[in-house]
Amino acid sequence: MYYAEIKTNDIANGPGVRVSLFVSGCPHHCKGCFNEATWDYEYGKPFEEETIETIVKALEPSYVQGLTLLGGEPMVRQNQKGLLPLLRRVRETYPRKNIWCFTGYVFEDYIQKVMLPNWEETEEFLSYIDVLVDGPFMEEQKDWSLKFRGSSNQNLILVQETRKQGHLVLWEEK
């Protein structure tokens, strides 16, 4: 797995100050994508143990609210596998910090109907995610007034509540 960038003081991709990891590799190729370079699965640098250490250290300050995964596409199978050691480590080290993930896949469609039944890593991957921003960016539905998403088709899903209740539970800013 490769990654494009780590932002250690990101305020655009989730609430509060966050550490954001932009992974490489994306099959969606959304028209108007803000990060086309990350479509290439080998763009950037190799994701290694040292990368995990860098992210864990960056999450240490009390003012950092959490980790955000985006890209590229964090939920392609190879990236899920690559990210699991990081997610385990973050949850173990900082159980009170939240984890957000942006994906072009739709939760009620491909994630629930294909990934969960067929990819063993998806169950564990989702167990660490607090909020999943789902759905491809759609330029024709772009809306600058939306918080933490680019187009109106995307949802901010509270993953654990959604899985418990069996229907979409959406995140709302308090």
Side-chain angles (χ1 to χ4, degrees):
M1 182 182 124
Y2 284 74
Y3 72 99
E5 184 178 7
I6 298 168
K7 289 188 178 182
T8 57
N9 287 290
D10 188 358
I11 57 168
N13 295 301
V17 177
R18 314 188 64 73
V19 174
S20 292
L21 172 65
F22 292 77
V23 301
S24 295
C26 184
H28 307 300
H29 299 189
C30 300
K31 180 181 173 196
C33 175
F34 79 99
N35 210 359
E36 283 186 31
T38 63
W39 293 357
D40 180 348
Y41 286 84
E42 294 182 356
Y43 176 78
K45 303 173 192 161
F47 187 81
E48 300 169 336
E49 183 61 36
E50 180 182 305
T51 315
I52 293 172
E53 294 304 321
T54 298
I55 294 168
V56 169
K57 181 80 173 139
L59 285 162
E60 188 175 4
S62 61
Y63 63 83
V64 175
Q65 194 164 340
L67 172 67
T68 297
L69 306 172
L70 60 170
E73 176 55 75
M75 291 200 69
V76 292
R77 193 168 194 185
Q78 69 194 56
N79 287 347
Q80 282 189 49
K81 288 178 179 180
L83 289 167
L84 278 174
L86 169 66
L87 293 173
R88 289 180 196 121
R89 186 78 185 284
V90 169
R91 190 56 80 208
E92 177 184 295
T93 308
Y94 306 110
R96 291 197 170 103
K97 296 196 188 244
N98 59 59
I99 301 174
W100 281 46
C101 179
F102 286 71
T103 181
Y105 295 108
V106 175
F107 184 79
E108 291 182 300
D109 185 24
Y110 199 79
I111 294 171
Q112 285 189 316
K113 294 176 182 173
V114 176
M115 289 181 186
L116 278 165
N118 297 300
W119 302 355
E120 64 184 55
E121 53 280 328
T122 302
E123 183 72 43
E124 183 182 2
F125 186 92
L126 287 175
S127 76
Y128 300 117
I129 305 301
D130 296 296
V131 176
L132 185 73
V133 182
D134 83 330
F137 170 73
M138 300 180 88
E139 193 170 52
E140 59 279 359
Q141 293 184 40
K142 179 168 53 175
D143 182 347
W144 293 108
S145 70
L146 296 171
K147 197 134 193 183
F148 309 129
R149 59 190 190 260
S151 56
S152 59
N153 63 297
Q154 297 170 312
N155 294 301
L156 285 78
I157 301 167
L158 291 170
V159 176
Q160 305 317 313
E161 286 303 309
T162 293
R163 298 205 62 213
K164 268 187 224 155
Q165 294 186 28
H167 61 85
L168 282 186
V169 178
L170 301 180
W171 177 88
E172 293 179 29
E173 190 166 35
K174 294 176 176 78

